[in-house]
Amino acid sequence: MPLGEQGVVDAIEAWLKESGFSEVEAIVAGARGYDIVARRDATGERWLIEAKGGARSGLDNSNASWGRVGAAFSMTAGWRFQKDIPGERFAIGIPSSYWFDKHLRRLQPALEYLGISVFQVSDDGGVIFTEYCPLKG
């Protein structure tokens, strides 16, 4: 059963604090705004992260998971090209499950190309971070 959005946000927030990020601020799931904002101490980059979670019922199917992965991607891709967004780096945070992982693989080339990183959160709160850097130029 994939974690809900708050579980995804909480796990990523803890991972960021343990992994060289500061100024970590997360909002409550369902509130408006950037789900997680953080600064990477080593580079000074400000990160904006859009999180999505599994269905409240715990019954995620292909269509529901695809909708959530696609929504997170759409949001961050829009931020990537919008002027006056207060961040240099962008990422999505989603549960790790069969359907979420399958749909994430469909978007991997676009994530790499756009430099949108990924946080995948397992049911036990473990985080796998895949960093995609934006193209220079």
Side-chain angles (χ1 to χ4, degrees), residues 2-67:
L3 290 175
E5 185 171 324
Q6 191 62 55
V8 170
V9 168
D10 292 345
I12 295 170
E13 180 181 19
W15 186 93
L16 291 167
K17 289 177 178 178
E18 295 170 3
S19 301
F21 287 77
S22 61
E23 302 177 32
V24 178
E25 296 177 22
I27 62 174
V28 175
R32 295 181 59 80
Y34 305 113
D35 291 328
I36 305 169
V37 178
R39 184 164 310 281
R40 190 179 224 170
D41 293 341
T43 62
E45 297 164 320
R46 186 161 188 232
W47 285 65
L48 303 178
I49 303 164
E50 175 67 14
K52 295 294 179 198
R56 289 187 178 147
S57 68
L59 302 173
D60 279 300
N61 59 34
S62 178
N63 288 340
S65 300
W66 175 237

Side-chain angles (χ1 to χ4, degrees), residues 70-91:
F73 172 76
S74 177
M75 182 67 74
T76 55
W79 293 342
R80 173 87 170 71
F81 295 100
Q82 187 175 334
K83 294 187 185 311
D84 301 324
I85 291 287
E88 293 83 35
R89 298 293 301 276
F90 306 95

Side-chain angles (χ1 to χ4, degrees), residues 81-117:
F81 295 100
Q82 187 175 334
K83 294 187 185 311
D84 301 324
I85 291 287
E88 293 83 35
R89 298 293 301 276
F90 306 95
I92 64 172
I94 58 172
S96 180
S97 71
Y98 175 80
W99 287 116
F100 276 93
D101 295 349
K102 181 176 178 123
H103 295 309
L104 181 65
R105 283 191 298 274
R106 293 171 69 187
L107 288 174
Q108 185 176 352
L111 293 163
E112 289 180 43
Y113 182 79
L114 295 173
I116 298 171
S117 298

